């Protein structure tokens, strides 16, 4: 069977966590539900899969492999009781690479106030700095969670209510060394579409938002005049700082060597055997081929910065694994 990249989904992003109870409490406050849990007691770790799943959610009721906007939290047993354990959040050296996850909300002022009222800290509050339309909350491990608005920020200023059922897990951001190489890889190898570009020449960086258009297609209008993709899930934001591509010694941290934190992003595909054959034809670098090791139902491709991309079967399109 052939494979059709237009059916692929940017399924999930994986973060390692210290204490699952603390992390679940935080992400459930943001409105995410646990949609699956995989336990590996012999290997001493558990995987928690969280997503928006209310009737108003973009992927309500879908099998976890047939969704976009899933957050995978990896807990290695014992870290919760180790006072010296902490993850690298990706935003400082050593370990800079992954940047943040992002949720889009209905009324951003009310949403941020609710998070603050629950006792959580912010890397950047709405009122900090010049950018008054975004905030960054900190999860229990210090990972940054960007908060953006689905509605015009000036129109929601006096609204006191927020409905978490309307939230979206909008995007995951990673930093890239060479924009040309990464855009070519994610478009031509992974089959994504460039949905939006934000150029910030004054500050020396560009942001590229990619994803799989699916039934929604590529956006041509914006709800808030700034971000035409705020109502979506399953976007990948690539941040390119000008000049890094010219430095032969420059590289970002993939999150999987020490210090660890972010683990991978994951794409679910229509036919994993055919998809992996196509990746092979595209001469990808493999971290793990489908046939390697004991787990024959997952593969890992390396992107140009050596970030790991897991490849799994979309179980709605073809049954392969009972998970």
């Amino acid at each position: 069977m052939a494979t059709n990249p237009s059916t692929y989904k940017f399924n999930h992003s994986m973060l390692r966590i210290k204490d699952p109870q603390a992390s679940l409490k935080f992400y459930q406050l943001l409105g995410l539900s646990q949609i699956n849990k995989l336990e590996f007691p012999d290997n001493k770790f558990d995987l928690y899969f969280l997503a928006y799943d209310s009737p108003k959610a973009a992927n309500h009721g879908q099998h976890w492999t047939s969704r976009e906007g899933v957050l995978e939290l990896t807990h290695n047993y014992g870290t919760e009781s180790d006072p010296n354990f902490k993850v690298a959040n990706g935003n400082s050296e050593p370990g800079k690479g992954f940047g943040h996850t992002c949720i889009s909300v209905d009324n951003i002022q009310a949403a941020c106030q609710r998070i603050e009222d629950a006792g959580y800290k912010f890397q950047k509050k709405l009122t900090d700095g010049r950018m008054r339309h975004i905030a960054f909350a900190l999860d229990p491990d210090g990972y940054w969670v960007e908060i953006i608005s689905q509605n015009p920020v000036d129109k929601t200023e006096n609204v006191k209510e927020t409905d978490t059922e309307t939230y979206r897990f909008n995007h995951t951001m990673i930093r890239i060394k060479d924009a040309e190489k990464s855009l070519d890889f994610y478009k031509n190898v992974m089959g994504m579409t460039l949905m939006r570009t934000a150029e910030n020449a004054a500050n020396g960086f560009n942001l590229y938002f990619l994803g799989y258009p699916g039934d929604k297609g590529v956006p041509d209008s914006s709800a808030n005049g700034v971000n035409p993709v705020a109502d979506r899930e399953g976007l990948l934001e690539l941040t390119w700082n000008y000049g890094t591509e010219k430095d032969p010694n420059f590289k970002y941290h993939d999150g999987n060597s020490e210090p660890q934190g972010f683990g991978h992003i994951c794409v679910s595909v229509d036919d994993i055997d055919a998809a992996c054959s196509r990746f092979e034809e595209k001469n990808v670098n493999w971290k793990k081929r489908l046939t390697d090791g004991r787990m024959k139902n997952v593969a890992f491709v390396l992107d140009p910065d050596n970030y790991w991309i897991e490849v799994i079967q979309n179980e709605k399109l073809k049954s392969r694994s009972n998970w």
Side-chain angles (χ1 to χ4, degrees), residues 86-88 92-96 253-262:
K86 71 177 205 170
V87 303
S92 59
E93 298 294 359
K96 197 168 188 177
H253 183 68
D254 66 12
N256 292 302
S257 52
E258 293 298 339
Q260 290 188 325
F262 165 78

Side-chain angles (χ1 to χ4, degrees), residues 246-258:
K246 296 174 184 153
D247 180 351
N249 299 314
F250 185 89
K251 68 175 191 175
Y252 284 116
H253 183 68
D254 66 12
N256 292 302
S257 52
E258 293 298 339

Side-chain angles (χ1 to χ4, degrees), residues 34-52:
Q34 183 178 310
I35 57 165
N36 197 24
K37 182 183 179 187
L38 300 177
E39 299 180 353
F40 298 90
D42 292 348
N43 303 100
K44 297 188 166 55
F45 70 89
D46 292 339
L47 309 177
Y48 298 83
F49 294 87
L50 310 180
Y52 287 108

